[in-house]
Amino acid sequence: MAIWLFSFVSGLFLLHFSIALILINKEVPQSRGMLYPRESETREVRSLDGIWNFVRSDQANPTQGVREEWYSKDLSKSGPTIPMPVPASYNDITTDNLRDHVGTVWYDRKFFAPRSWAVDQRVWLRFGSVHYEAYVWVNGQKVVKHEIGHLPFEAEVTHLLKYGAENRVTVMCDNALIQTTVPQGRITELPNDEGMTIVQSYTFDFFNYAGIHRSVHLYTTPKTFIEEVVVTTNLSKDNVGGEVLYSVKFNGSAINEADNALYVRAQLYDREGKLVANGTSDAQLSGSLQVDNVNPWWPYLMHPEPGYLYQLEVKLHASNDELLDVYRLKVGLRTLSWSNATFQINGRPVYFRGFGRHEDADVRGKGLDNALMVRDFNLLKWIGANAYRTSHYPYSEESMQFADEHGIMIVDECPSVDAENYNQELLGKHKSSLEQLIHRDRNHPSVVMWSIANEPRTREMNADSYFQLVANLTRSLDKTRPITAAIATPWTDDKAGRFLDIISFNRYNAWYSNTGRLDMVTKKVVEEAVAWNKKYNKPVIMAEYGADTLEGLHLQPAYVWSEEFQTEVFARHFKAFDILRKKGWFIGEFVWNFADFKTAQSYTRVGGNKKGVFTRARQPKASAHLLRKRYFALARELDDSSFPEDLFTYIADMGKTENA
């Protein structure tokens, strides 16, 4: 009896466990609107950036503010506040233990709404990013909740504002990560000297910065307005002619209810402001513009004039020709194609050379900083990079626009990092993060690839069905770009690569494996890349390699943590990459990392991850100069680009002297 009962219970457990692993392909909510806020003849934009009021919740009582309705009055009436900059991470602003706070924090500020906005206008409140979960109230009324950091969200507040008077916006932000958030984490309660404390842990190797990370805007639209613009482009085989296909959606009712036909007039201007194409949409508000003698969008160093952008002007008209709304955006004309051996832009093969990066800097954390962004792009161009991966989350919209303008290709990554314990709820949020990312970035010519995850545990039991569903969703949303994922699982155990278009792998030879052994790099890199290609018959990129390096530490012979060691690690990888490039299907090399960055406290990290080619203050280490010579040499070999005049330091005149 006991044996039968045990077998029966065990069978039920296995049945329940098997059922739990079945992942159902459920639909995810579709994003609407959220065009980047731009002023026009019909729109106004106002920034709410600045110094906000800030309160941290008691970690042991994170819902106190909601229960006591702190949002119904000024935060200062619920307790002491401190000044907090927006945009910025809040963690490194103060001098107390706010850095490691887990749970909710509160922001608020006052603003005026002009009287003019009360007439024939709709008003929207837009956040570029709040990490991780956000709740927003205006004048005490809840307007929006959003989960998943690094992505924008907005809500209409037209009917909540007091026009010609003062208003208040209140935000509650929760940074807690659990096993069903994207990315994942764990919350535990541990004893400390004074009792118990809440501790956040996670496996990813960057700091869980939190707060209102990007700009906050109020903007107006007409009653009936352009809600979405989708652009795709084509080039003729000789790249002489081009085509811009556009599709527009509007929000609002028609002006004339008896005749609700609206239409769009689209005009395309070149860099000098000359009109090069124009047309009128069909009844579905879609159309195409033909461009003669086109200037294609080229990556940096692949053409003398990279990052060429046109301006697309979209005007929404009522059936009686009344102008309803105007929106303008930059457009780059280019084509992408890929096969099992190559990736091409405008019909030319691309070899990616660049970095994994982080939005990370001293004091501001992951907060948007235009000065830092411009500095980073100066360094990218100085070093000869043509691409980077937005590891491991979507970067700011401003940085995407800057990449468009400078011809820097982007592998655009969603926030899924170190994914494990695959389940239905996690799948839904993972898919939602990709849907929001693609909705936001689909019009950027710089975005040439989607990355659906970084270092997921792809050997787990149901990783194959999980990533098949994630990949299928990505392709259904955008068929014009290939998809990849940065995989750290050994090729022998991986179950996700067959669903990708391009294989990207991360490996730290001579660092995490065979530490210090510079004689165990080149062969291992070649062998692993060949194995990935043989298994999946797809193009291969090495998406991460590198070594931690303490700025100013010099040791000869090379020793781990020294600048000499990082330089040697790079050189051994360069040799492997050149062997692999001759095989035809190896299409890129990405250093980890662009610059040093903050991590959680660890005895393996001295102030953070030091694998940067640049310091956290954006100054070059010795390896940066070696990498610069490498990247420009590749540009000269592959794309016939010229060397910068300062690339090589003068040593001596090696020519023969003439006899007197």
Side-chain angles (χ1 to χ4, degrees), residues 45-62:
V45 179
R46 172 174 293 187
S47 171
L48 294 184
D49 293 355
I51 305 299
W52 292 43
N53 304 305
F54 181 90
V55 174
R56 84 178 86 185
S57 300
D58 182 351
Q59 286 193 158
N61 193 8

Side-chain angles (χ1 to χ4, degrees), residues 351 505-511 517-518 520-526 542 544-547 565-580 586 589-591 630:
Y351 186 76
F505 75 98
N506 301 349
R507 195 70 63 221
Y508 290 89
N509 293 290
W511 190 254
R517 295 305 303 257
L518 293 167
M520 296 183 182
V521 175
T522 304
K523 184 179 179 182
K524 288 184 178 296
V525 171
V526 171
M542 192 164 196
E544 290 185 23
Y545 71 96
F565 185 80
Q566 187 182 41
T567 297
E568 285 289 338
V569 166
F570 283 13
R572 303 300 174 106
H573 280 83
F574 296 164
K575 185 176 181 181
F577 298 153
D578 286 345
I579 294 170
L580 290 166
F586 187 79
E589 54 191 75
F590 285 80
V591 171
R630 164 76 177 177

Side-chain angles (χ1 to χ4, degrees), residues 103-341:
T104 59
V105 298
W106 291 74
Y107 294 78
D108 82 352
R109 68 156 290 170
K110 300 284 189 65
F111 64 92
F112 274 88
R115 290 178 181 174
S116 60
W117 286 7
V119 181
D120 296 327
Q121 296 288 310
R122 298 171 70 173
V123 186
W124 305 79
L125 176 62
R126 188 183 194 274
F127 290 80
S129 167
V130 180
H131 185 81
Y132 168 76
E133 189 172 37
Y135 297 78
V136 181
W137 295 263
V138 171
N139 295 330
Q141 300 297 310
K142 184 179 176 181
V143 294
V144 65
K145 170 186 176 294
H146 183 260
E147 183 177 353
I148 302 174
H150 318 290
L151 290 162
F153 59 96
E154 66 184 10
E156 185 174 4
V157 295
T158 308
H159 304 298
L160 298 176
L161 296 181
K162 295 178 285 187
Y163 297 97
E166 194 173 57
N167 297 267
R168 181 183 63 254
V169 56
T170 308
V171 179
M172 184 182 75
C173 167
D174 188 350
N175 71 343
L177 301 177
I178 58 176
Q179 285 294 283
T180 55
T181 57
V182 179
Q184 293 167 291
R186 296 181 187 276
I187 302 291
T188 53
E189 190 175 28
L190 298 175
N192 64 10
D193 293 343
E194 299 175 354
M196 304 295 290
T197 189
I198 305 296
V199 176
Q200 171 79 74
S201 61
Y202 39 83
T203 60
F204 55 82
D205 191 33
F206 57 95
F207 192 74
N208 186 40
Y209 278 116
I212 303 177
H213 279 157
R214 296 176 190 151
S215 292
V216 184
H217 290 102
L218 282 170
Y219 72 92
T220 69
T221 64
K223 295 290 186 180
T224 299
F225 68 97
I226 297 165
E227 185 175 47
E228 295 187 16
V229 181
V230 182
V231 175
T232 55
T233 64
N234 293 310
L235 295 174
S236 60
K237 289 185 178 180
D238 55 7
N239 292 336
V240 173
E243 181 183 35
V244 176
L245 297 99
Y246 63 90
S247 176
V248 175
K249 291 182 180 179
F250 75 94
N251 184 315
S253 59
I255 300 301
N256 184 349
E257 295 296 340
D259 179 11
N260 62 359
L262 304 182
Y263 68 92
V264 164
R265 283 180 178 157
Q267 296 180 305
L268 192 70
Y269 296 87
D270 66 15
R271 186 176 286 178
E272 286 71 42
K274 178 184 176 182
L275 179 66
V276 296
N278 67 90
T280 302
S281 71
D282 58 22
Q284 285 73 45
L285 304 186
S286 299
S288 65
L289 302 175
Q290 304 301 314
V291 185
D292 297 326
N293 300 315
V294 68
N295 289 299
W297 188 93
W298 286 103
Y300 177 54
L301 297 178
M302 283 190 72
H303 189 271
E305 198 170 8
Y308 192 97
L309 296 175
Y310 293 83
Q311 179 169 266
L312 178 63
E313 181 180 84
V314 180
K315 293 183 176 181
L316 180 66
H317 288 266
S319 57
N320 62 1
D321 293 337
E322 179 184 355
L323 178 63
L324 302 179
D325 193 18
V326 182
Y327 188 82
R328 297 177 177 88
L329 69 158
K330 299 290 186 179
V331 173
L333 278 77
R334 54 109 176 102
T335 57
L336 303 178
S337 59
W338 59 95
S339 66
N340 63 351

